[in-house]
Amino acid sequence: MKSIIPYGRQNITEDDIQAVVNTLKSDFLTQGPKIAEFEQVFANYIGSKYALAVANGTAALHLSAMSLNVEPGQKVITTPITFVATTNCVRYCGGEVVFADIDPNTFLLAINKVRNLLEASPKGTYQGIIPVDFSGRPVNLEAFRKLADEYDLWIIEDACHAPGGFFIDSNGQQQKCGNGNYADLAIFSFHPVKHITCGEGGMITTNSKKLYDRLCNLRTHGIQQNPDFKLYNHGGWYYEMQELGYNYRLTDIQAALGISQLTRAEEGIITRRRIAKRYNDEFAGKSFIKRQSGLVNGHAYHLYIIEVEDRIGLYKKLREKNIFAQIHYIPCHLMPYYRQFGWQERDMPNAEKYYQHCISLPMYPTLSQEEQQYVINTINAFYKS
Ligand SMILES: *Cc1c(COP(=O)(O)O)cnc(C)c1O
C-alpha cells in the first residue's frame, strides 16, 4: 500500500461540507440556533434528557468535575488506561486522582478493584468514580451505580469512545452509553478520530435538571442563564455572573458539522462492527493474538485492540508497511506528572502488563476491505517469519 493507513480517521461527505457552508452564510457563527439543534438531536440519539455542547471533550470533563464540586482534598477513582484528559479534570479542580487497576480481559476499570479501595477506607474518603467506555466497550454502569450508591459517590461516564454503544442491564434492557440512567453525567468528544467529529467539540449528557442548569452557567463564564434565578435586575442590558465559569462554548459552524455527521452515526457503528467481525474471524484461534474477551453486542468499536508478543516488533513492521497502528494508552499513573504524587511501576500490574502488549489496529468506517486484508496479511506474515 502506498498511502498511509492510520488507526482511525474522520469521514467528511459533501453534505457535511454544505452544512458548514450554509452556517457560514447565516446570521450566527456562534451562539445561534445550530447549537440547540445539535444538543437536541444528540440527546435523542443517546437517549438522555439533556445534552450540553461544549468546546471539546476535555472541557466537558472539566465542567463535569466542577459541577459535581470536586475540590482540593476530594478523592476520585478512575482507570489508568485512558487518555490523560479523563484524569486531568480532577486535577483542574484540585482534587486527588486515585487509580484502580483494569480487568485484564476487558481492559476496563475493574469494579472489584474499586470495591477493594472503597472497603479499605472509611466512608466519605472518596467522592466519585470516572469509568471509561474504553475502546467503545460499554462499562456495566448498573453495577457501578449500585456500588456508588453504597458509598454515596457520583459517577461521570467518559463515553468518548462509545456514542451508540450499549450494555444489557439485569432486566435484559439495552442501556445506551451516556443515557443518564446510571451515571450522573456522561461526556463525549468530537475530535476527528472519534465516531463523529466537529473538528473539535464535546458534549455532556445528563438526566439531572439541576446539573444541566449549573453546567449551562459554567459553560459561559458562570453567567446566570435563567432570568428567574438572577439576584438583581438593572434593566434590559443586565447580565449576572454568579460564579467563576469559562468560555467553553461550541460554535454554530462546528454544531452544523456535528448535526450532519450524526445522521451517519448508526451507519458508522454498523460498519465498525463489520470490520471488527472480520478481524475477529481472522484472528480466532491464532495463539499469538489475544483479544478483548467476552465480546458484547453493544461494543461501539472506537478502537480494535489486540495484545501480542513482540509488540514493538509488530509496531515497527506495520509502520514499515505504512500501517500506522497506535498504542492506547500509556498508563496515566506512569506519566511524570502523576509520578509526583507517588505513583510508580508495579502499582497497577494489569494495566502495565496490558501496556506492554497492546496495539490498536486500523478501525474506521472508510477502511476498505482490501486495506483491512492488507493489515491482516502483514500481521500474519510477521508472526510466521
Ligand atoms: C478524546 C478523549 C478525551 C478528550 O477529548 P478532547 O475532545 O480531545 O478534549 C477524553 N477521554 C477520552 C477517553 C478520549 O478518548
Side-chain angles (χ1 to χ4, degrees):
M1 293 272 160
K2 284 205 195 73
S3 55
I4 285 167
I5 304 178
Y7 81 90
R9 68 162 291 151
Q10 72 272 20
N11 175 18
I12 302 289
T13 64
E14 280 307 315
D15 285 349
D16 292 340
I17 292 166
Q18 203 51 53
V20 171
V21 170
N22 290 346
T23 298
L24 283 168
K25 291 176 176 168
S26 76
D27 290 338
F28 294 96
L29 300 186
T30 193
Q31 294 181 281
K34 287 292 166 194
I35 301 297
E37 187 186 333
F38 186 33
E39 291 171 339
Q40 187 60 57
V41 290
F42 194 82
N44 289 349
Y45 179 62
I46 294 299
S48 65
K49 278 202 184 125
Y50 306 99
L52 186 99
V54 292
N56 52 60
T58 306
L61 282 160
H62 184 190
L63 292 189
S64 294
M66 265 185 94
S67 71
L68 291 163
N69 302 314
V70 175
E71 288 169 7
Q74 302 280 7
K75 288 184 162 71
V76 175
I77 301 171
T78 191
T79 169
I81 298 299
T82 185
F83 184 53
V84 288
T86 313
T87 58
N88 290 352
C89 72
V90 176
R91 294 296 307 138
Y92 293 154
C93 299
E96 187 183 325
V97 178
V98 179
F99 293 100
D101 209 352
I102 61 164
D103 176 326
N105 296 312
T106 64
F107 316 156
L108 303 179
L109 178 63
I111 193 163
N112 62 327
K113 302 283 182 190
V114 176
R115 183 180 288 284
N116 292 348
L117 272 177
L118 294 171
E119 283 173 354
S121 305
K123 271 197 179 178
T125 303
Y126 297 94
Q127 191 189 18
I129 314 174
I130 312 182
V132 180
D133 300 313
F134 171 65
S135 76
R137 185 182 173 120
V139 169
N140 183 337
L141 283 177
E142 186 183 24
F144 269 99
R145 181 78 262 171
K146 211 160 154 254
L147 181 62
D149 284 347
E150 277 175 50
Y151 288 87
D152 220 0
L153 309 177
W154 50 252
I155 297 174
I156 299 173
E157 176 188 9
D158 183 335
C160 284
H161 294 182
F166 61 84
F167 74 95
I168 306 288
D169 71 12
S170 56
N171 293 319
Q173 299 294 310
Q174 285 189 11
Q175 295 287 345
K176 272 185 126 178
C177 297
N179 72 4
N181 287 347
Y182 295 106
D184 297 271
L185 298 169
I187 70 103
F188 296 88
S189 161
F190 307 125
H191 181 276
V193 297
K194 310 291 160 79
H195 285 63
I196 70 164
T197 187
C198 297
E200 296 276 0
M203 194 75 83
I204 307 173
T205 58
T206 184
N207 288 346
S208 159
K209 174 87 167 72
K210 196 162 154 247
L211 287 172
Y212 172 74
D213 285 343
R214 176 127 190 251
L215 288 163
C216 287
N217 298 345
L218 290 172
R219 172 176 62 178
T220 301
H221 308 280
I223 292 172
Q224 181 56 253
Q225 306 292 306
N226 187 335
D228 297 341
F229 292 115
K230 285 186 183 159
L231 299 175
Y232 307 94
N233 185 5
H234 303 169
W237 66 87
Y238 183 71
Y239 60 87
E240 186 169 279
M241 180 195 145
Q242 292 185 349
E243 65 175 320
L244 191 62
Y246 296 85
N247 174 359
Y248 276 167
R249 291 185 302 263
L250 194 71
T251 66
D252 274 53
I253 307 165
Q254 292 165 310
L257 180 55
I259 293 164
S260 183
Q261 287 262 307
L262 193 62
T263 61
R264 296 194 312 282
E266 209 46 43
E267 185 187 313
I269 292 224
I270 290 166
T271 313
R272 286 170 185 273
R273 289 189 182 136
R274 197 190 68 222
I275 293 168
K277 182 171 184 315
R278 181 108 182 265
Y279 279 135
N280 283 338
D281 291 348
E282 294 279 353
F283 296 148
K286 299 237 158 88
S287 59
F288 51 84
I289 287 175
K290 186 185 157 212
R291 292 170 292 136
Q292 230 171 359
S293 68
L295 287 175
V296 284
N297 292 332
H299 204 308
Y301 286 109
H302 167 57
L303 302 173
Y304 187 90
I305 302 170
I306 54 175
E307 288 182 286
V308 292
E309 293 302 323
D310 189 14
R311 193 270 313 277
I312 293 172
L314 178 63
Y315 175 86
K316 283 187 186 152
K317 171 56 78 185
L318 292 172
R319 286 257 150 172
E320 253 171 49
K321 300 282 182 185
N322 264 343
I323 300 165
F324 281 42
Q326 256 304 351
I327 309 304
H328 297 95
Y329 288 97
I330 304 158
C332 294
H333 71 288
L334 298 181
M335 289 291 163
Y337 176 79
Y338 285 100
R339 284 177 193 258
Q340 72 175 305
F341 304 107
W343 297 99
Q344 55 186 344
E345 270 89 4
R346 287 188 284 280
D347 282 346
M348 301 283 130
N350 294 343
E352 291 165 35
K353 181 152 181 272
Y354 162 83
Y355 172 57
Q356 297 306 315
H357 298 283
C358 69
I359 187 160
S360 306
L361 302 182
M363 165 57 85
Y364 49 91
T366 54
L367 180 73
S368 72
Q369 295 205 5
E370 187 198 4
E371 286 168 329
Q372 190 179 8
Q373 193 59 51
Y374 173 71
V375 173
I376 290 165
N377 293 348
T378 308
I379 296 168
N380 285 340
F382 178 74
Y383 284 102
K384 262 186 212 118
S385 57

